[in-house]
């Protein structure tokens, strides 16, 4: 149940940030849910493989920043999978990752 709530919250975050940020485009709620699902799947698989060496390199001291950076990369990868989702540049992807992390942290309390 928690996964489904997190998925819907991330989709809503994408839709809200699309209204605020001109460099982010989301065509529909269905696209936002699909993007949130793909980002979650990529974070669980490919993201883990990217985070592991970076966390070892930084001795785990920057693990939160590594997680944000990797999530932003996964958002940019999801951008390539969906024609109805566009993020122009890395900075908006990083902002989306930060907002998702903050809201996810608040929801897990």
């Amino acid at each position: 149940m928690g996964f489904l709530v997190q998925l819907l919250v991330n989709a809503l975050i994408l839709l809200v940030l699309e209204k605020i940020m001109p460099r982010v485009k989301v065509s529909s709620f269905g696209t936002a849910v699909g993007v949130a699902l793909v980002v979650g799947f990529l974070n669980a698989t490919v993201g883990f493989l990217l985070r592991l060496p970076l966390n070892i390199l930084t001795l785990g001291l920057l693990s939160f920043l590594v997680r944000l950076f990797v999530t932003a990369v996964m958002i940019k990868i999801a951008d390539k999978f969906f024609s109805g989702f566009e993020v122009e540049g890395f900075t908006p992807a990083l902002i989306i990752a930060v907002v998702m992390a903050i809201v996810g942290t608040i929801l897990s309390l």
Side-chain angles (χ1 to χ4, degrees), residues 17 28 46 65 78:
L17 290 179
S28 68
V46 179
L65 295 176

Side-chain angles (χ1 to χ4, degrees), residues 1 3 5 8 17 23 36 38-39 44-45 52 62 77 83-84 91 98 109:
M1 184 69 173
F3 172 74
V5 170
L8 293 175
L17 290 179
R23 295 173 54 190
V38 167
V39 168
T45 56
L52 184 64
L62 302 175
I77 291 173
S83 61
T91 304
V98 167
L109 295 177

Side-chain angles (χ1 to χ4, degrees), residues 51 54-55 58 60-73 90 94 97-98 101:
R51 281 191 309 270
L54 290 173
N55 279 331
T58 63
L61 298 174
L62 302 175
S63 63
F64 181 73
L65 295 176
V66 167
R67 181 173 291 275
L68 288 178
F69 175 77
V70 170
T71 301
V73 170
F90 189 74
L94 193 57
V98 167

Side-chain angles (χ1 to χ4, degrees), residues 17-94:
L17 290 179
E18 188 254 343
K19 300 293 183 201
I20 296 171
M21 300 170 57
R23 295 173 54 190
V24 177
K25 308 274 188 281
V26 182
S27 64
S28 68
F29 181 71
T31 301
V33 170
V35 169
L37 187 63
V38 167
V39 168
F41 178 74
L42 288 173
N43 255 338
T45 56
V46 179
F48 172 75
L49 296 174
L50 288 175
R51 281 191 309 270
L52 184 64
L54 290 173
N55 279 331
I56 290 172
L57 185 67
T58 63
L59 302 174
L61 298 174
L62 302 175
S63 63
F64 181 73
L65 295 176
V66 167
R67 181 173 291 275
L68 288 178
F69 175 77
V70 170
T71 301
V73 170
M74 296 305 118
I75 290 169
K76 286 300 291 178
I77 291 173
D79 176 18
K80 305 300 179 202
F81 288 143
F82 291 90
S83 61
F85 177 64
E86 183 180 346
V87 178
E88 298 173 9
F90 189 74
T91 304
L94 193 57

